[in-house]
Amino acid sequence: MTSKVHGFGFTALLGGLSALPALATDMALPSVSLVQADFGSSPAEAASAIAVFLAGFSTAPLVVGPLADRFGRKPVMLAGLALFALASIGCALAPSIAVLIVARVLQGVGAGAVAILPRAIIRDLFEGREARLQLAAVSIVFSVAPLIGPTLGAALLAIGPWRLIYATHAVVAVTLGAFTLAKLGESHDETMRRSLRPATIVAGYRRALTNRMCGGFSLIVGLVFAGLFAYVNVSPLLFIEGYGFSQAGFGGLFAMTASGVIAGSLLNTWLVRRHASPRAVLDAALSAIALAGLTVFIASLGGHPSLVLVIAPVMIYISAFGLVMPNAVHEAIHPLPDIAGIASAVLVSAQMLFGALGGSLAAALYRDSSPLAIGLVMSAGGLAAGLVYLVWLRPGVEA
C-alpha cells in the first residue's frame, strides 16, 4: 500500500501535483489581453476565463474527497490529471470565448481533484515529525509555482500564441500522470475504504467539520489565507498606482514577497529537525501574523506609509504563513486517518472560500492608493486566527 519513493523524487512529485492549480492560474495571467483580441470579446469575458478556473477548483474537492476515501488516492489522482489534460487541450483548441470558459471550468475541476490528494497521501504514510517534515518539503516545492508562473507564461507568449500556454498545461499534466503511474503506489489501505452512500458521505463531512482540530485548523488556514489573498488581489493596484512601480518592477517585488512562503517552509523544516514542538511553532507564527497585519493597518491610518512599512510586515506575514501551513495541515488531518480525503477537502475548500472573501473585501475597500484595505483584512484575519487558536485549539496541540 505504500509509495515506492519517499525521497526527493516522492516529495517533488507531490509538490508538483500540489502546485498544478497555481501554475494553471498564474501562467495564464499574461494572456488575458491576447485572448480578448483574438476572440473580440469584452475585457470582462476575457478575464472570466481566468476567474472561472477557481469555480471548478473550489467545488471539486468536496466531491473528490469521498471518492478518494472510497477508491484510493492513485486512481482519483490519475482521473483528475486526465481531466485536466483534456480540458487543457480544449482550452488550446477553443474556437470561441464560451468554449474556452467551459474548458477552464473543467480544468479547474481536474486541478481541484489533484490538489487535495498529496496531503491525504502524506497522512496515509507518515506520522508526527515525519509528516510535518514531508508537508514542509511539499510546501517548498508548491511555493515555487506562483513565483515562476507569470514569467513562464510570458516566455511562452514570446515564442508563440496564447494557446501555447494551455498546450503546455496539457504536457505538464501528462508528465505528472506518467510519474504518478510509474512512481506512486496506492497509499490508502483497502481496509479503510468507505462507502459512497450519501448518508456515509454526509456523516464523514459532519465528523470532519465538528472535529475540533480539523474544523478549527481549517478555519485558521482560511482566516490567514484571507489576509494573504487580500495582498495578492490588491497589490498590483497598490504598488503600480500608489508607489509608482512599473509592471516589471511590480513583478520583481511580488516575487520577492511571495518567496517568503519558501523561507517560512525552510525555517519550519529546520525547526522540526531540531524537535521544535508544533505548539511552539504555531505560537510564534500566529503571533507574527497578527502583529504584521496590525503593523500594516496602523501604519496606513496616518495616510500613505513608506514602502518599507508595507513590504517588511507583508514579508513577515507571508513567511509566517509558510510556518503555519505544514503544522496546521498536519493538525487538521492527523486525527482523521480513515477520512483523510474528506478532511483534506474541508481544509482546501475553507482556504479557497476565505481567500476569495478576503481578496474581494480588500478590493471593495481599496481607496486612494492606500494599503489600508490590505492592512484591515490582514489584521482582522490574523487576529481572528490567533483567537481561534488560543481559545479553542492550543490545549490540544503537542507541546
Side-chain angles (χ1 to χ4, degrees):
M1 75 148 200
T2 57
S3 171
K4 296 178 181 178
V5 198
H6 290 171
F8 174 78
F10 173 77
T11 301
L13 177 57
L14 292 189
L17 292 165
S18 300
L20 193 63
L23 202 62
T25 301
D26 295 342
M27 280 178 64
L29 288 175
S31 69
V32 174
S33 60
L34 297 176
V35 170
Q36 178 190 347
D38 196 4
F39 291 128
S41 59
S42 68
E45 286 176 323
S48 69
I50 303 297
V52 294
F53 177 91
L54 295 178
F57 175 75
S58 61
T59 54
L62 298 176
V63 177
V64 170
L67 290 174
D69 288 336
R70 172 63 182 88
F71 298 109
R73 318 307 185 199
K74 186 171 181 176
V76 176
M77 182 84 77
L78 291 171
L81 287 167
L83 177 59
F84 183 91
L86 290 172
S88 299
I89 294 171
C91 292
L93 301 177
S96 67
I97 188 68
V99 174
L100 177 62
I101 288 171
V102 171
R104 281 288 282 174
V105 172
L106 294 175
Q107 196 187 36
V109 171
V114 171
I116 70 165
L117 294 176
R119 292 163 175 170
I121 290 171
I122 290 173
R123 176 60 190 91
D124 293 338
L125 298 174
F126 301 98
E127 295 278 350
R129 177 172 172 267
E130 287 302 315
R132 292 194 293 133
L133 283 171
Q134 285 292 331
L135 287 165
V138 167
S139 294
I140 293 168
V141 180
F142 164 79
S143 302
V144 172
L147 303 182
I148 67 171
T151 302
L152 183 56
L156 290 171
L157 292 176
I159 61 174
W162 62 265
R163 297 174 187 274
L164 182 59
I165 291 175
Y166 294 106
T168 304
H169 288 170
V171 171
V172 170
V174 170
T175 303
L176 287 172
F179 277 103
T180 298
L181 190 62
K183 299 294 184 180
L184 197 67
E186 179 52 58
S187 63
H188 190 40
D189 195 322
E190 290 189 8
T191 63
M192 301 180 72
R193 303 291 171 88
R194 292 174 59 84
S195 168
L196 286 179
R197 289 182 299 176
T200 303
I201 295 173
V202 170
Y205 274 110
R206 183 186 299 116
R207 185 177 158 207
L209 290 168
T210 57
N211 179 275
R212 184 178 72 164
M213 302 302 278
C214 182
F217 275 104
S218 295
L219 181 58
I220 282 179
V221 168
L223 288 166
V224 174
F225 195 70
L228 178 58
F229 210 73
Y231 167 74
V232 170
N233 209 33
V234 175
S235 59
L237 294 173
L238 175 66
F239 292 123
I240 292 174
E241 294 181 359
Y243 288 90
F245 278 77
S246 65
Q247 290 283 353
F250 165 71
L253 181 66
F254 185 83
M256 181 186 75
T257 55
S259 67
V261 177
I262 299 176
S265 298
L266 287 170
L267 177 59
N268 183 71
T269 299
W270 184 85
L271 291 169
V272 172
R273 292 192 183 282
R274 280 150 186 78
H275 302 280
S277 70
R279 182 186 293 181
V281 174
L282 286 165
D283 285 352
L286 287 169
S287 297
I289 282 172
L291 288 173
L294 279 172
T295 300
V296 177
F297 176 66
I298 293 171
S300 304
L301 290 174
H304 201 260
S306 69
L307 184 63
V308 173
L309 284 176
V310 179
I311 293 300
V314 163
M315 281 288 292
I316 292 171
Y317 189 106
I318 295 175
S319 299
F321 178 76
L323 280 166
V324 168
M325 275 300 289
N327 292 284
V329 169
H330 175 264
E331 296 297 322
I333 299 177
H334 182 76
L336 304 170
D338 57 320
I339 54 168
I342 286 177
S344 298
V346 168
L347 189 72
V348 171
S349 295
Q351 181 178 344
M352 294 303 300
L353 174 62
F354 278 89
L357 291 173
S360 299
L361 180 60
L365 295 175
Y366 178 71
R367 297 287 188 281
D368 303 322
S369 302
S370 166
L372 182 62
I374 293 175
L376 177 62
V377 179
M378 288 177 68
S379 59
L383 288 169
L387 185 63
V388 170
Y389 170 71
L390 186 64
V391 173
W392 192 13
L393 301 174
R394 190 176 185 272
V397 178
E398 178 188 340

